Amino acid sequence: MKRREFLVGSALTIGAMTIVPSELFAGEKSRKFKVIYDFDLKYDAKSFPAKLWNPLPFNSDYQKIRFLKFSGNYDDYNINSNNPYDARVLYASWKKSDKKKTLHVEMEIETKTREVSLKLIKKASKQNLPLPKDVEFYLKPTEHIPTDGKIKEIADKLTKNIDDTFQKVQAIYDWVTKTTFRDPKVIGCGVGNAGKMVESGYFGGKCTDISSLFVALLRAARIPSREVFGIRLGLSHFSKALGKADKNGFANISTWQHCRAEYYIAGIGWIPSDPADITKLELVEKLKYDDKKVKELRARYIHSWEMNWVGFNHARDFVLSPKPEQFPLNMLGYPYAEVDGDVLNYYSPRAFEYKITSQEVK
Amino acid sequence: MRYIFLILVLFSFSFAKVVVIHVEGMTCPLCTMAVKKSLKKIDGVTKVKVRLNTKKATITTDKKVGKKALLNAIKDAGYRGKIISGKN
C-alpha cells in the first residue's frame, strides 16, 4: 500500500488564472467539506492493466484544498497539469495482474460564496478595456464549442445594436435560460456539443450542454468565456434541487458532477454564472421561467455561485497526460480510466467502479 | 503437433479480413466503446479497434462477414459508417 499526503497550499496551485480580488466578493461565508474518492476498477477479464486519471480541484480565492492524501496499490502515479488548460490530474496506473486495482483519495476543501458585485461589473463593462493576452485563449473555438455558423448567427442576432459587454452577456444569458430546458434523459452532464444543439434545434440537455451553449454564444460575441467542470459537495441553501445532504451533512456525491460557466470582463476579471441550474430548478421544483424563485436565481446566477460545489478545470477537447489510447477528451468532470485499452463507463459509478462521498465539516 | 498448430494459424490468417471504416458522430471516448461493443456482437468478428482521434474502426474477421452487417452494427450504436478499405 502506497500513501501520499500533501498540505496543499503549495502542492496544488492553479496555473495562469486571472482571479478577481477577494474584496470584490460580497459573500464571504466559509464552508468546509471532507471529500473521499474510492476506486476499485472493474473489467470483464480476470487479469488486466489499468490507467486512471482523476480530476483534482484548483485553488483560488473562493475554493482551497486544505488537505490532500491518497493511497492504493497502484504501480505508478503522478500529479500533473500537462495540458493547455492546466487541469490538475491525479494519475495512477496498474500493471497487468489479477489483483484488485484500488485508490483512496481524501481531501478537505474550503469554499466561500462567490459573488462579484453587479455595480462593479457594470462599471468595468462601460470602460471597454482591452483584454489581457492570456484571456484571449478563451475566445477560441473547440470541436464542441464552435463560434461560427448558426452559433454566430444567433449571437449576432442577440447582441445586435448592443455595445456594452455586460449587456451582451445579459442578452445571451436571458436567451439561453429561456430557450434551454433540462432533459433528465440525457446521460450524466451531457456531451456539451453546442454546435449540434443549435443545428438540431433541440435545446434540451444537462449542465454541460447548457453551459457549452452559453460559452459558445459568448465567444462568438467576442466575450471570453469557459465552462467550469466540478462536483456538488452538499446542501444548497437555496433549493434542494441544487444540492442535498442528510441531517449530519453527509452526501453520496458519486453522480453529482456539475458544470458551470464563467465570462470575462476586462477590468474586473472572471465572473461566475450558472445558466444550467436555472433549468434544473424549474424541472425539479416544477416552476416556470417567470416564477418568483426562478427569477431570483436568474438574477443571482449571472454574477454568483453558491459554493456547495468545487471546480476542477476549464478543459475542453484536450489530451490528458500521460497520453491515453483515446483522445481528445471532451471534458474532465468525471474520473477517466482505460482498462486494457477499453474506456470504462465514467457515467456509471457502479460499472467503473468508484464512490465519492462528502461530509460537511461544521 | 507444433507443425499442425502452425498450419492452423496460417490457415486462419489466410481467411482473416481487415476492414477499416470511418465512423461519423463519435464525440467522446465512450462513443468508441459503443461502436466496439456493437461490432463485436457480429459472428465472425475477432478484433475491433476504434480510435476517437482518427474516427476509424479497424475490424478483423475470421470468416466472411458482409460489409453491410458491419455498417448496420455501427448504425445500431447510433453512428454512421463509411467503408475506407477492406481486404483479405
Side-chain angles (χ1 to χ4, degrees):
Chain A
M1 178 74 78
K2 300 180 183 74
R3 289 178 195 278
R4 296 287 182 275
E5 296 192 14
F6 296 85
L7 287 171
V8 178
S10 58
L12 287 176
T13 49
I14 189 164
M17 181 179 161
T18 311
I19 293 173
V20 180
S22 59
E23 60 267 27
L24 298 182
F25 299 130
E28 284 292 313
K29 195 186 169 208
S30 165
R31 294 174 75 173
K32 275 185 191 169
F33 301 89
K34 186 177 180 185
V35 179
I36 296 176
Y37 282 69
D38 269 309
F39 295 93
D40 179 4
L41 302 185
K42 291 284 179 286
Y43 193 47
D44 51 11
K46 195 182 172 206
S47 180
F48 59 91
K51 293 174 181 177
L52 169 70
W53 293 258
N54 191 50
L56 292 175
F58 53 78
N59 276 323
S60 68
D61 275 14
Y62 55 88
Q63 63 174 50
K64 292 212 187 301
I65 312 176
R66 294 297 182 196
F67 183 79
L68 166 69
K69 68 176 181 181
F70 53 92
S71 58
N73 61 356
Y74 42 80
D75 295 301
D76 194 13
Y77 84 98
N78 67 56
I79 291 177
N80 75 76
S81 55
N82 303 331
N83 56 76
Y85 294 89
D86 288 325
R88 285 271 171 190
V89 178
L90 168 57
Y91 168 78
S93 66
W94 294 260
K95 290 174 186 163
K96 186 172 180 175
S97 77
D98 57 5
K99 72 179 182 185
K100 284 165 80 82
K101 273 88 178 164
T102 58
L103 174 66
H104 175 85
V105 185
E106 280 185 40
M107 283 177 269
E108 188 171 286
I109 298 163
E110 185 173 2
T111 67
K112 279 180 192 169
T113 303
R114 187 180 181 204
E115 182 176 343
V116 183
S117 154
L118 270 179
K119 198 178 156 188
L120 292 174
I121 295 172
K122 287 175 183 173
K123 193 179 166 189
S125 182
K126 281 189 177 39
Q127 291 174 336
N128 205 19
L129 296 166
L131 291 171
K133 277 276 169 232
D134 61 327
V135 171
E136 285 179 5
F137 178 71
Y138 294 99
L139 285 170
K140 289 180 183 170
T142 75
E143 185 182 344
H144 288 94
I145 318 170
T147 55
D148 56 1
K150 274 203 169 173
I151 288 281
K152 180 86 170 82
E153 276 176 37
I154 297 169
D156 286 349
K157 199 173 161 187
L158 292 171
T159 58
K160 196 179 173 186
N161 300 325
I162 303 174
D163 292 326
D164 182 83
T165 305
F166 181 66
Q167 282 178 20
K168 287 182 186 177
V169 174
Q170 182 80 60
I172 290 169
Y173 176 81
D174 289 347
W175 186 84
V176 169
T177 52
K178 194 167 188 174
T179 309
T180 61
F181 59 94
R182 186 174 172 87
D183 180 350
K185 288 181 193 149
V186 168
I187 298 168
C189 292
V191 171
N193 193 338
K196 193 177 173 186
M197 196 177 234
V198 295
E199 288 298 331
S200 69
Y202 181 73
F203 291 98
K206 283 203 185 152
C207 53
T208 304
D209 302 312
I210 294 166
S211 296
S212 299
L213 178 63
F214 183 54
V215 166
L217 291 169
L218 288 170
R219 289 189 189 183
R222 302 291 301 158
I223 301 165
S225 56
R226 59 193 184 187
E227 296 94 333
V228 193
F229 297 93
I231 192 164
R232 294 184 208 272
L233 300 175
L235 183 72
S236 163
H237 298 303
F238 188 82
S239 165
K240 282 188 179 174
L242 311 181
K244 292 181 286 189
D246 69 14
K247 62 179 189 247
N248 299 315
F250 178 82
N252 181 339
I253 60 168
S254 302
T255 58
W256 287 18
Q257 290 80 8
H258 178 52
C259 175
R260 292 176 146 174
E262 289 180 320
Y263 56 93
Y264 191 92
I265 292 185
I268 198 151
W270 287 104
I271 299 161
S273 185
D274 193 343
D277 262 0
I278 311 303
T279 64
K280 188 167 190 190
L281 179 70
E282 287 170 317
L283 178 79
V284 178
E285 292 206 12
K286 297 181 175 62
L287 298 171
K288 301 271 183 232
Y289 187 72
D290 286 321
D291 283 342
K292 193 183 166 194
K293 195 169 183 182
V294 177
K295 272 187 181 173
E296 189 185 337
L297 193 65
R298 272 164 43 206
R300 284 186 188 199
Y301 271 10
I302 195 170
H303 68 113
S304 73
W305 287 340
E306 184 182 6
M307 285 303 290
N308 59 330
W309 170 93
V310 67
F312 297 145
N313 58 68
H314 319 104
R316 286 305 305 264
D317 304 315
F318 74 113
V319 184
L320 287 163
S321 174
K323 198 175 192 177
E325 293 263 333
Q326 301 295 347
F327 59 91
L329 188 63
N330 174 30
M331 51 92 188
L332 187 67
Y334 293 79
Y336 179 76
E338 291 182 349
V339 170
D340 211 6
D342 282 352
V343 180
L344 292 186
N345 183 358
Y346 40 83
Y347 291 130
S348 172
R350 191 177 289 181
F352 198 96
E353 164 187 318
Y354 63 82
K355 186 178 183 183
I356 316 169
T357 60
S358 173
Q359 172 66 59
E360 184 154 9
V361 183
K362 300 283 183 186
Chain B
M1 190 67 185
R2 187 188 290 171
Y3 292 114
I4 295 169
F5 177 74
L6 278 171
I7 288 164
L8 281 171
V9 168
L10 286 169
F11 187 75
S12 66
F13 271 117
S14 67
F15 279 89
K17 185 179 161 189
V18 177
V19 180
V20 181
I21 300 177
H22 177 80
V23 185
E24 282 177 40
M26 293 195 298
T27 55
C28 67
L30 285 178
C31 299
T32 65
M33 290 307 295
V35 171
K36 187 174 179 176
K37 278 182 184 170
S38 191
L39 286 164
K40 280 194 115 175
K41 282 182 194 164
I42 300 171
D43 185 31
V45 170
T46 55
K47 195 177 166 190
V48 180
K49 201 171 177 180
V50 187
R51 286 284 173 268
L52 181 62
N53 60 323
T54 59
K55 310 268 194 269
K56 278 181 192 167
T58 308
I59 305 128
T60 309
T61 64
D62 66 357
K63 58 184 176 184
K64 207 168 185 181
V65 175
K67 288 175 182 172
K68 200 173 174 187
L70 299 174
L71 294 175
N72 281 341
I74 291 171
K75 195 177 172 188
D76 289 346
Y79 306 91
R80 277 175 300 169
K82 191 180 170 187
I83 304 277
I84 295 175
S85 66
K87 59 185 176 184
N88 284 317

